[in-house]
Amino acid sequence: MHFANIVGGLAGTLTTVAFFPQAIKAWKTRSTKDVSLGMFGLFAAGVFLWIIYGIGIQSVPVIVANTITFVLAVTILVLKIKHK
Amino acid sequence: MHFANIVGGLAGTLTTVAFFPQAIKAWKTRSTKDVSLGMFGLFAAGVFLWIIYGIGIQSVPVIVANTITFVLAVTILVLKIKHK
């Protein structure tokens, strides 16, 4: 179980951190033509539910990781809507 | 706990299904200029670790959801490398 927790923590860190390069790219280039509106809309909605789930099971790592991901996914979504 | 499971299931479905519109868009347009290589590289690596984690905790939903996401993230990654 100890090994699983380390792998799970690393997995969660990677899938959260992954959104930084996309948010930075969209912010810098102001170009989001190839970025899918559907993807980031559905993903932001899903991550919002992960936060609710984290509150429900009282898991601080789930709440923290998904709150960071939510902010980044919404940033990309807003840049997509603004710059097409 | 029942409510949390429903919310968690819905959250996992949304964050998995979200990758379909991006994969379809990249496949159809053959244009991935605005898509971040770093994002899908890091995300695919993270999702791969989620699969290992799922095997470690013997959770079929974690394994299944992340295997689907992994295939889609790698598809987007390959299209990004091929079409820039």
Side-chain angles (χ1 to χ4, degrees):
Chain A
M1 196 54 200
H2 194 67
F3 171 74
N5 281 339
I6 295 166
V7 174
L10 195 56
T13 304
L14 280 174
T15 50
T16 295
V17 162
F19 283 79
F20 278 101
Q22 181 68 72
I24 293 165
K25 188 183 179 85
W27 178 264
K28 275 192 184 162
T29 62
R30 299 280 190 257
S31 171
T32 56
K33 178 177 64 66
D34 304 327
V35 171
S36 163
L37 180 71
M39 168 167 176
F40 289 92
L42 289 169
F43 205 88
V47 168
F48 182 76
L49 290 182
W50 277 127
I51 298 169
I52 306 293
Y53 175 78
I55 294 166
I57 65 161
Q58 295 180 293
S59 165
V60 173
V62 170
I63 296 168
V64 172
N66 283 292
T67 301
I68 297 167
T69 310
F70 183 73
V71 170
L72 293 169
V74 168
T75 300
I76 297 163
L77 192 61
V78 168
L79 289 168
K80 169 65 188 176
I81 292 164
K82 262 185 90 176
H83 302 292
K84 288 285 148 67
Chain B
M1 196 53 200
H2 193 66
F3 171 74
N5 281 339
I6 294 166
V7 174
L10 195 56
T13 304
L14 280 173
T15 51
T16 296
V17 162
F19 283 80
F20 278 102
Q22 181 68 71
I24 293 165
K25 188 183 180 86
W27 178 264
K28 275 193 185 164
T29 62
R30 297 282 190 254
S31 172
T32 55
K33 178 177 62 69
D34 304 326
V35 171
S36 162
L37 181 70
M39 168 168 176
F40 288 92
L42 289 169
F43 205 89
V47 167
F48 182 76
L49 290 182
W50 277 127
I51 297 168
I52 306 294
Y53 175 78
I55 294 166
I57 65 160
Q58 295 182 292
S59 165
V60 173
V62 171
I63 298 167
V64 171
N66 284 291
T67 301
I68 297 168
T69 310
F70 182 73
V71 170
L72 293 169
V74 169
T75 301
I76 297 164
L77 192 62
V78 169
L79 289 167
K80 168 67 187 175
I81 293 164
K82 263 184 89 175
H83 302 292
K84 287 288 149 65

